[in-house]
Amino acid sequence: MAAKGSKRSPVECLNPAQNTVLGIVCGSIEVCIMQPMLYLKNASQQGLPFTADPRKLYRGLGPSVANMGFVTGLQFPLSGTAGALLKRGEDRVLGDGEKILAGVIGGGLSGFVCAPMELLMIQQQVGGKSFGATVKHITSNTGVTGLWRGTLCASMREGLYTGGYLGVGPVLTAKLQKEYGFSATAAKLSGAIFAGTCAATLSHPFDTIKTCMQGDVLREKFTTIPGTFQALMAEG
């Protein structure tokens, strides 16, 4: 049981509907700002040429906004629900480890939703086709199930990342304030930077494998997860 006086995590303070709205709004704003960087990241992972053309940088923005907004909107209530289950009906605040675990579970489950939307975005970036033409291209060559290519890696990435921003970040922030006398602002900034850096570093390999697999739906170079890993290692 958490110590008396422990603060509740963000997802514990809001109801599921509020968590969903908060996640959708934050996710949508984030992706509109970060879309050019996302394009360049995906291009780098797949060995594609860089560009400064905004028409290409923002290619696939629709699925990207839907993905980030909807998936982030899911991660808050899913993590909140996971936290409630971890309490087992007890009226208490989650322990530090439980807060992180709740984030990992919520993020991992959201991977099943984000995988097809990210695949569509990546395929639009690679092929330059419209949304409808991209869906037709994928389903005609791989079937509907092809839309979920890379789901396991997406779930691993989202679990680690969500465990960071909904678990490690708030936990570290509280400890810095309570045990080390940090101001609220300094604690939040330090906690966010540390958690974000750790989560991004740990989740990035899964993201790279997922991106390569989703950029090659015909499996010409990147086949399975082990096959993709081996192909990337061979490239050096």
Side-chain angles (χ1 to χ4, degrees):
M1 183 178 293
K4 186 176 181 180
S6 297
K7 293 184 178 180
R8 294 182 181 274
S9 65
V11 296
E12 291 181 271
C13 298
L14 304 176
N15 63 43
Q18 292 171 324
N19 274 321
T20 301
V21 172
L22 177 63
I24 290 173
V25 172
C26 292
S28 298
I29 293 172
E30 176 191 358
V31 78
C32 287
I33 296 172
M34 296 297 294
Q35 181 67 13
M37 292 300 296
L38 184 59
Y39 178 94
L40 295 174
K41 175 192 73 70
N42 290 341
S44 176
Q45 289 172 325
Q46 298 173 84
L48 301 176
F50 284 4
T51 180
D53 186 345
R55 294 172 299 178
K56 294 182 179 180
L57 292 174
Y58 279 91
R59 184 181 289 165
L61 179 62
S64 187
V65 170
N67 172 42
M68 187 61 74
F70 187 60
V71 170
T72 307
L74 278 177
Q75 288 171 347
F76 278 80
L78 285 174
S79 297
T81 300
L85 291 174
L86 290 172
K87 292 180 182 179
R88 299 179 181 179
E90 299 175 14
D91 183 15
R92 63 181 178 85
V93 176
L94 289 173
D96 291 346
E98 291 174 320
K99 291 177 182 177
I100 297 171
L101 179 58
V104 171
I105 293 172
L109 291 174
S110 73
F112 293 92
V113 178
C114 80
M117 289 189 279
E118 288 192 4
L119 184 142
L120 289 170
M121 175 195 67
I122 290 170
Q123 280 296 303
Q124 278 194 270
Q125 291 175 339
V126 172
K129 297 183 177 68
S130 66
F131 179 81
T134 300
V135 174
K136 183 177 180 181
H137 167 70
I138 296 169
T139 55
S140 63
N141 283 283
T142 68
V144 176
T145 57
L147 292 170
W148 275 267
R149 178 166 164 77
T151 296
L152 179 58
C153 284
S155 291
M156 293 296 292
R157 181 201 65 191
E158 292 301 316
L160 289 168
Y161 196 77
T162 307
Y165 83 84
L166 287 183
V168 176
V171 167
L172 181 57
T173 296
K175 283 189 175 296
L176 290 175
Q177 283 186 268
K178 183 178 179 181
E179 298 180 15
Y180 296 95
F182 278 50
S183 67
T185 300
K188 289 178 181 178
L189 183 60
S190 300
I193 291 174
F194 179 82
T197 300
C198 290
T201 300
L202 292 173
S203 65
H204 191 72
F206 296 103
D207 179 68
T208 299
I209 293 174
K210 178 203 71 69
T211 300
C212 290
M213 291 177 66
Q214 293 183 329
D216 182 16
V217 293
L218 299 182
R219 301 172 182 248
E220 295 175 347
K221 179 179 180 180
F222 301 112
T223 53
T224 60
I225 292 175
T228 301
F229 176 78
Q230 291 173 2
L232 291 170
M233 292 299 292
E235 291 180 359

